[in-house]
Each structure stands twice: as structure tokens, then as C-alpha cells.
Amino acid sequence: MDGSATGTSTALERIREEIIADPANRAATAAGLQPIYTAHPQARIVLIGQAPGTRAQHSGIPWNDPSGVTLRRWLGVTHDEFYDPTLFAILPMDFYFPGKGAHGDLPPRPDVAPRWHPRLLTELPHVQLTVLIGRYAQKHYLPGATGTTLTDTVRAFRDHLPDRMPLVHPSPLNFRWQTRNPWFAEEALPALRARVQAVLGTRTDPDGR
């Protein structure tokens, strides 16, 4: 992090240290694993997904898989833009891989986002758009989505713009969902890209110019 927002940077660094030291993360820390998220005081867009997979956990790079390639295409940004922390903050609902279950990855631990996200987001004063990827993020950040299907929540994306945008997970396994819901590519993705470009186009440098 640069020195243009020293107080905020120091606060973010302190929060990260607390996450690593949290007894709830003791096993991961003992194994040498780091929390997988990015937060910079100049970030304009926040991406909130489920939890890092094994590939992201061991590489230290979020969305480092085919789903990430699709997500970058949906957003209309390059690889370098996506991983520029002054543009995008990446805050999953759990900062560590939660483990394998009988039918895939386990869900994110329910206490992680309520405990840490508010503190992190307080240090990101320039955020203009929060992209909510998948059901866990949507249930947490869109209380009105509780009791509705993921499809209904994403279809109602206009109700949440300009500051929030619900998305289905960009997993290759969701191709059938996209085939059944052509409005997603025809209407939702163009609206997402337009909003992303509008936000990034209003970006200022750390000195406010």
C-alpha cells in the first residue's frame, strides 16, 4: 500500500494481523496459510464471493482459476486491472478455504463476514460498487433476497444498482443456468460492464486529482 493514506493503510494492516492471529484461524496460520483477500484505501469496486478454493488458498491469488477468467470477462476488465488493488477490493465471505464436503467445498464460516467485513469496508471510503457473487454474499448484503431464489435476485439487478450488483457464480458449471436465462448475457452483463466502466472512469489518484 502506498503512503498517501497512511492512517488507513496502517488500519488495514492491523486488521490483517488480527485476522491471522484470530484463534478461529489458528490451524490455517499454523499451516502457513494466509487470508485470501485484498483491500486498499483507494479501491473503487468491491467483489464479494463465497470463499477461496484450494488453488487460490495455496497460490495466494484470489480468482486464480477459470471462474476468475469468466468473471473478468463479465466485468469487462483486463487481468491487470482486476488485480490492481486500487481498483478492486476482493473480500470473500470467508478468507480461508473452508474445506471439502460431501458435495463440493464447504460453505463459508458464517461468522467471518459479520465480524471482519464492516471493519475492512470502513477503511475503503471510495467504494462505489459492490458486486455480490453467489447466494451467500447476496443473503448477507441484500436482506430482501432472503427467501427468493438466486435467479430471482439476479434478475432483479436493476433494483440494486448503482451501488450493488448481484451475480451468479461464474463457474463453468453454471453454463446450463446461463442457457436457461439468456437475459443474463443480454441485459445484466451489459449493465454490469457499463457500471464498472463508469466507476473506474471517475477514479482519482491518491492526491485527489
Side-chain angles (χ1 to χ4, degrees):
M1 295 180 183
D2 60 43
S4 61
T6 304
T8 300
S9 297
T10 301
L12 287 168
E13 291 163 2
R14 185 166 57 250
I15 294 169
R16 187 175 186 87
E17 292 170 357
E18 290 181 31
I19 292 171
I20 293 170
D22 188 338
N25 301 323
R26 182 180 291 116
T29 300
L33 301 176
Q34 294 291 312
I36 305 302
Y37 74 92
T38 60
H40 188 285
Q42 294 298 320
R44 289 302 181 97
I45 298 173
V46 177
L47 306 174
I48 301 180
Q50 181 168 321
T54 54
R55 185 170 178 176
Q57 183 69 79
H58 291 287
S59 70
I61 304 173
W63 295 101
N64 183 27
D65 56 16
S67 295
V69 174
T70 298
L71 179 57
R72 290 187 281 277
R73 176 169 54 81
W74 286 359
L75 294 166
V77 299
T78 67
H79 180 278
D80 289 345
E81 288 171 331
F82 184 84
Y83 288 112
D84 182 344
T86 70
L87 300 181
F88 290 93
I90 302 175
L91 299 180
M93 296 295 290
D94 195 336
F95 304 135
Y96 295 89
F97 173 61
K100 285 287 186 182
H103 304 287
D105 294 351
L106 291 173
R109 293 171 294 175
D111 58 333
V112 174
R115 181 176 180 187
W116 298 107
H117 279 199
R119 292 183 60 189
L120 289 164
L121 291 170
T122 295
E123 306 301 331
L124 309 181
H126 300 291
V127 169
Q128 299 178 39
L129 174 65
T130 300
V131 181
L132 302 169
I133 305 163
R135 195 68 177 142
Y136 292 102
Q138 290 161 19
K139 282 188 174 182
H140 184 73
Y141 281 95
L142 300 176
T146 302
T148 66
T149 67
L150 181 143
T151 298
D152 288 341
T153 300
V154 177
R155 190 190 293 270
F157 68 90
R158 294 181 184 87
D159 295 343
H160 308 292
L161 287 171
D163 59 331
R164 294 183 177 182
M165 177 74 184
L167 290 180
V168 66
H169 195 282
S171 166
L173 299 177
N174 279 335
F175 73 94
R176 290 188 180 87
W177 182 92
Q178 294 183 60
T179 300
R180 293 194 303 269
N181 296 279
W183 54 266
F184 180 71
E186 296 168 359
E187 302 173 28
L189 291 184
L192 170 66
R193 294 187 191 109
R195 183 59 183 145
V196 167
Q197 290 307 309
V199 170
L200 299 186
T202 62
R203 178 170 175 256
T204 58
D205 68 21
D207 295 322
R209 294 191 295 268

